[in-house]
Amino acid sequence: MYTCKNIFLLLFGVIFSTSTFAQIPHGGSPLNWGDETYQPTIDMRNMPDVDLAALALEDAVTDQHKEAPWRFGVEQEVALNLENSGTWTFEDGKHVWRLGFNCPNALNVSFMLSRFVLPKEAQLFVYNAQRTAYLGSFTHENNKDWEGLSLGVLDGSSMILEYHESPASHGMGEIEVNQVIHGYRSLLNHQDAVLAEMVERLGPFGNSGACNINVNCPEGADWQTEKRSVALIVNGGSAYCTGAMINNTANDGTPYFLTANHCIGTPNTWVYYFNHESSSCSGTTGPTNQSVSGGTLLVQNGGSDFALIELSSAPPTSYNVEYAGWDNSGSTPSSAVGIHHPSGDLKKICFENDAPYQSSTGGAQVWWIDEWELGVTEPGSSGSPLFDQNHRIIGQLYGGAAACSGSVNNGAYDFYGRFNVSWGLGASQYLDPLNTGVSTLDSYPTNAVPGAGCMDPTACNYDPEATSDNGSCVNNDVCGICGGDGSSCTGCTDPTSCNYDSSATIDDGSCIGNGVVVIFTLLTDNYPGETTWSVTDASGATIMSGGPYSSSGATFTSSACVATGCYDVTINDSYGDGICCAYGVGNYSITSDGNTLVTGGEFASTETTNFCVTAGETDTPGCTDSDACNYDSSATIDDGSCESTSCAGCTDSSACNYDSTATINDGSCESTSCAGCTDSTACNYNSTSTIDNGSCEYTSCICTGDINGDGVITVADVLLVLSEFGCLSGCTADVDGDTYVNVADILLLLAAFGTSC
């Protein structure tokens, strides 16, 4: 019997299809995806229903408290793995395991895996029973130190887990489902009662109240740097909060993350989502593809309700994350701003135009805000940063009663743990590694200063309101683009050149006369993330490159216009097993004008091959070794294809295994298998023998005693012996060959009497 318990699940304001809730997928698809006729055998487990009425009563209470996250699901505990459940089949050259779950009346379903340890060539997918949406693949690249995995949310009430193993890895993977999360509330617009008041709201909402304000509304214009530090915390189906990246005095981008102590569970299983915000004031959806998984708790203390975490890896530069500045002086700010994810919604902003004041509550030292002038916070905003008028963090949200009342602020209070108190409770040793003793620090890398901007009136980005110049002044490029690099309108304007740019209006001198277009084509193996490549010229300059890739068994092409000369194509596999043929039949080639210049796929870590092009045409590739089996007299450049096996054999015409088609003697000639007696008159004549070995004999086939030659020794033969009895020479009945016929001949004949020869 399955047991259930209520949990606080992380709200995420988007429905997923082929991306994951907590992890990055690695390409591929479930077997026969898109084939509506395909109906595999699946072990379906029926999960218990949930008591919606009881849950609604509980939610009506907990939804009002910031110390409790917003709940949308019930966690149902199971213990199902590859050994005790599911069905195994062998399809498409791989072992396939499937396990399904029916969750009656669920709006969405997600899973927690207590065991997830996959070998290199294995894949896991999750898809709905209608086979319209899936998550995955999840591979060995998703393996975590804690050996578990949180799987994302999919719409629907019936879900299937599908696991693939190659024959070589069969039995090596470990998967165990310990939680099936029954989503009983929608992940969007849970406050349906507010829909009627949409026209009057100050800002849009997804899951949060209508009085919340998108961070990209006009009110948030001055906070575009600080917003980039704020992230939504997802804890694999158990809780959510908000937090912020925070700078340290080394200004080195160490991924320190500040949140509230009461949010702390197991940060190593958390997923931190950045830039989950609408690009506009009125939007209700935002990106969910920028996340970092896992982190280490460095220090926490209830004295200011703070926790400092170091993420498992720094957010990629493509996320454009800011590390927020701070003020540890404890000085009372003149105003304050909060940036947060209320109810797991898009990033919002709220404003306190008056001065917060110091107080204490719940055993913590806090900044007290009597009432927000614009916006509010909600459950899920906990841990979010409070900024002073200088755009520096002075605390993180602990709790409060502020909320939307319909489309307006309810006028209630909030309180934030004070950063100056956190500083003395352990934060300083990480955030001031240089022991500078400074009380304030601006953000990294922007180091934004209020009032800074371009003060040069001749610059295209002149800011007439700037009070200090920040060195950002730029001018229009030749294309008229402010701060541009001239690439938007420049290029080759010669239509006869292979690198002709039809959109270019200004020739930049890049045209390649008598150039040749070369095409790189790659078919990825099962691990495309391991593959990179480049084409370089004689000086080592890169002409084109690519990888790593995310789709397995997919074809990618790149082309470039190149001048006369020779080039190197280099392909790399980070694992060291090439792209063919152990884990997928991958290959690559360089072609031009329909000619293949380079081809390959079987290598270890790297392979470099040279090819040449001349005066507007390509060399003819092929085998230029005249001693090779596949010598090509028309080839002008050796493509590395020469081989000496297909035409190898025995060239000795006197040998048993002589091969008239062989042109290379491989040393296999032998003269024993065809040796024997070649004399057709001999008793042991062998018609298949072509070499006489001197073994012929002529006696074993003579029948002694068959005097009349009828093939049987009978009375007729006896009578012939008796008729010549006593003969001394020239005797036809001489059985024993002693030249005469006597009793000895009779006795030999009688001994063989009746014998058939």
Side-chain angles (χ1 to χ4, degrees):
M1 179 178 294
Y2 301 113
T3 60
C4 304
K5 64 179 181 180
N6 294 335
I7 63 162
F8 297 110
L9 293 178
L10 301 179
L11 174 65
F12 213 62
V14 68
I15 304 298
F16 295 86
S17 59
T18 58
S19 62
T20 102
F21 186 60
Q23 301 290 341
I24 304 299
H26 298 286
S29 61
L31 284 182
N32 298 311
W33 191 257
D35 182 358
E36 297 181 354
T37 64
Y38 181 63
Q39 296 184 343
T41 301
I42 302 173
D43 175 14
M44 298 297 298
R45 303 299 177 101
N46 294 318
M47 304 301 293
D49 203 350
V50 299
D51 189 338
L52 295 178
L55 293 170
L57 291 173
E58 296 172 1
D59 293 338
V61 176
T62 57
D63 285 354
Q64 308 305 313
H65 299 283
K66 292 184 175 62
E67 296 82 356
W70 184 75
R71 179 177 65 179
F72 72 87
V74 171
E75 189 176 277
Q76 300 175 327
E77 298 185 356
V78 298
L80 303 175
N81 54 51
L82 300 177
E83 287 74 36
N84 66 12
S85 61
T87 56
W88 282 99
T89 60
F90 189 79
E91 305 173 58
D92 196 30
K94 63 189 70 174
H95 297 274
V96 181
W97 176 85
R98 295 184 181 92
L99 177 63
F101 296 88
N102 289 318
C103 301
N105 302 311
L107 298 178
N108 50 77
V109 179
S110 55
F111 301 90
M112 177 67 76
L113 308 183
S114 58
R115 295 290 296 170
F116 182 87
V117 183
L118 267 57
K120 181 179 176 182
E121 60 272 15
Q123 294 177 300
L124 174 67
F125 298 91
V126 185
Y127 55 88
N128 57 14
Q130 295 75 30
R131 292 176 63 85
T132 59
Y134 69 90
L135 308 179
S137 67
F138 305 99
T139 71
H140 74 286
E141 297 182 60
N142 297 105
N143 290 344
K144 299 292 185 182
D145 291 340
W146 63 282
E147 298 185 340
L149 187 69
S150 173
L151 298 181
V153 176
L154 278 175
D155 275 349
S157 60
S158 296
M159 301 295 160
I160 292 94
L161 303 179
E162 181 176 296
Y163 174 58
H164 304 169
E165 282 185 342
S166 72
S169 66
H170 187 42
M172 298 173 61
E174 298 181 50
I175 294 177
E176 178 161 302
V177 183
N178 70 310
Q179 295 171 359
V180 181
I181 302 161
H182 180 124
Y184 65 92
R185 291 202 285 189
S186 173
L187 299 185
L188 294 174
N189 300 330
H190 75 272
Q191 293 186 347
D192 296 332
V194 188
L195 288 173
E197 302 174 280
M198 288 277 291
V199 177
E200 302 179 9
R201 60 183 168 79
L202 294 178
F205 72 95
N207 300 303
S208 62
C211 71
N212 281 288
I213 304 170
N214 271 352
V215 73
N216 288 322
C217 285
E219 294 89 338
D222 294 334
W223 296 89
Q224 296 300 291
T225 297
E226 293 71 30
K227 74 172 187 179
R228 304 200 317 264
S229 68
V230 179
L232 171 68
I233 302 173
V234 173
N235 188 17
S238 63
Y240 74 88
C241 281
T242 305
M245 304 299 294
I246 189 166
N247 194 20
N248 72 89
T249 56
N251 285 293
D252 58 3
T254 300
Y256 293 134
F257 187 84
L258 179 70
T259 188
N261 177 61
H262 76 266
C263 294
I264 292 298
T266 51
N268 64 311
T269 67
W270 288 3
V271 183
Y272 308 78
Y273 285 89
F274 295 90
N275 301 316
H276 181 49
E277 60 191 61
S278 170
S279 60
S280 69
C281 183
S282 59
T284 58
T285 61
T288 58
N289 59 351
Q290 300 183 17
S291 65
V292 173
S293 297
T296 300
L297 178 63
L298 301 177
V299 61
Q300 65 180 121
N301 199 290
S304 59
D305 191 46
F306 94 102
L308 188 66
I309 298 163
E310 183 173 354
L311 302 190
S312 60
S313 60
T317 55
S318 61
Y319 291 8
N320 195 27
V321 167
E322 188 78 4
Y323 296 75
W326 40 260
D327 186 332
N328 66 27
S329 68
S331 300
T332 300
S334 60
S335 60
V337 166
I339 303 176
H340 56 106
H341 288 278
S343 298
D345 204 352
L346 303 177
K347 194 177 294 178
K348 308 292 184 180
I349 191 168
C350 49
F351 296 86
E352 165 62 282
N353 295 335
D354 301 317
Y357 56 89
Q358 296 184 6
S359 184
S360 62
T361 185
Q365 302 299 307
V366 300
W367 290 113
W368 195 274
I369 294 176
D370 282 329
E371 179 183 358
W372 296 101
E373 274 68 44
L374 288 174
V376 294
T377 65
E378 295 184 13
S381 303
S382 289
S384 61
L386 182 70
F387 296 92
D388 66 10
Q389 72 278 2
N390 296 315
H391 296 240
R392 301 175 182 131
I393 289 178
I394 59 171
Q396 64 287 325
L397 183 61
Y398 181 2
C404 293
S405 179
S407 61
V408 299
N409 186 337
N410 68 354
Y413 61 88
D414 271 341
F415 46 89
Y416 288 74
R418 297 201 328 251
F419 184 75
N420 65 302
V421 177
S422 305
W423 190 260
L425 295 176
S428 62
Q429 63 176 307
Y430 299 101
L431 302 185
D432 188 17
L434 304 181
N435 294 314
T436 63
V438 299
S439 59
T440 62
L441 182 69
D442 288 324
S443 67
Y444 170 84
T446 302
N447 284 319
V449 177
C454 174
M455 299 183 67
D456 182 359
T458 65
C460 60
N461 65 328
Y462 169 60
D463 184 359
E465 298 182 357
T467 57
S468 63
D469 196 287
N470 62 359
S472 65
C473 296
V474 292
N475 297 305
N476 289 329
D477 66 3
V478 294
C479 304
I481 305 300
C482 185
D485 59 3
S487 61
S488 62
C489 69
T490 57
C492 174
T493 60
D494 181 1
T496 65
S497 176
C498 63
N499 64 326
Y500 168 63
D501 184 357
S502 61
S503 65
T505 58
I506 300 175
D507 197 287
D508 61 359
S510 64
C511 295
I512 300 175
N514 295 319
V516 175
V517 175
V518 294
I519 302 171
F520 178 91
T521 303
L522 172 72
L523 174 63
T524 59
D525 65 357
N526 296 343
Y527 298 92
E530 299 170 357
T531 304
T532 58
W533 63 272
S534 65
V535 176
T536 56
D537 63 16
S539 68
T542 299
I543 305 302
M544 54 179 171
S545 61
Y549 298 90
S550 59
S551 298
S552 59
T555 300
F556 298 89
T557 60
S558 297
S559 62
C561 174
V562 301
T564 297
C566 294
Y567 300 84
D568 285 329
V569 56
T570 300
I571 188 164
N572 308 293
D573 182 88
S574 60
Y575 196 78
D577 58 0
I579 60 175
C580 185
C581 299
Y583 304 108
V585 187
N587 59 72
Y588 73 98
S589 65
I590 293 282
T591 60
S592 183
D593 293 334
N595 297 316
T596 300
L597 309 182
V598 180
T599 186
E602 292 189 72
F603 60 96
S605 296
T606 187
E607 178 177 78
T608 298
T609 306
N610 185 259
F611 67 95
C612 302
V613 296
T614 59
E617 63 183 19
T618 61
D619 284 329
T620 302
C623 175
T624 59
D625 184 357
S626 59
D627 294 327
C629 297
N630 59 330
Y631 168 63
D632 184 356
S633 60
S634 65
T636 60
I637 182 172
D638 197 288
D639 62 359
S641 65
C642 294
E643 55 87 16
S644 302
T645 57
S646 64
C647 65
C650 176
T651 60
D652 183 357
S653 60
S654 65
C656 295
N657 59 330
Y658 168 63
D659 184 357
S660 61
T661 64
T663 58
I664 298 176
N665 197 308
D666 62 358
S668 65
C669 295
E670 54 88 16
S671 302
T672 56
S673 63
C674 64
C677 177
T678 61
D679 186 353
S680 60
T681 65
C683 294
N684 60 331
Y685 168 66
N686 186 350
S687 61
T688 63
S689 296
T690 59
I691 299 176
D692 196 289
N693 62 357
S695 64
C696 295
E697 55 89 14
Y698 304 88
T699 59
S700 63
C701 55
I702 299 176
C703 189
T704 302
D706 183 19
I707 299 171
N708 62 1
D710 63 356
V712 183
I713 301 175
T714 63
V715 172
D717 298 297
V718 174
L719 293 176
L720 287 173
V721 171
L722 292 176
S723 68
E724 288 192 355
F725 191 83
C727 177
L728 298 178
S729 64
C731 307
T732 59
D734 180 16
V735 177
D736 61 4
D738 61 355
T739 70
Y740 51 89
V741 180
N742 55 20
V743 173
D745 297 301
I746 294 175
L747 293 175
L748 286 173
L749 187 64
L750 293 176
F753 191 83
T755 303
S756 298
C757 300

